[in-house]
Amino acid sequence: MLEVDTVIMAPTVIKEAIKRNPVPVNFAETGLKGFQQIAFDAAYGYLMKDKYEI
């Protein structure tokens, strides 16, 4: 069986992390599809939450 670490974050934590450190590029310029924006924001928020200790 494969084990995978999982983190559950409240949407408010993601929004606060992005608010404190906005994404430095327009999402449309990333080349990702529109339906991928939620996952992109979650990943970016996760990375920024440690930087800003939210």
Side-chain angles (χ1 to χ4, degrees):
M1 178 178 272
L2 178 66
E3 292 186 26
V4 178
D5 291 334
T6 304
V7 176
I8 298 175
M9 293 175 52
T12 54
V13 173
I14 296 169
K15 288 179 184 178
E16 183 65 25
I18 293 173
K19 181 175 147 184
R20 290 184 183 203
N21 189 25
V23 179
V25 63
N26 185 345
F27 182 78
E29 296 172 2
T30 64
L32 297 172
K33 304 290 184 192
F35 68 87
Q36 294 173 304
Q37 186 168 2
I38 295 170
F40 178 86
D41 289 345
Y44 186 78
Y46 173 76
L47 293 173
M48 293 299 109
K49 79 170 181 53
D50 290 338
K51 182 173 183 175
Y52 291 100
E53 297 180 13
I54 296 173

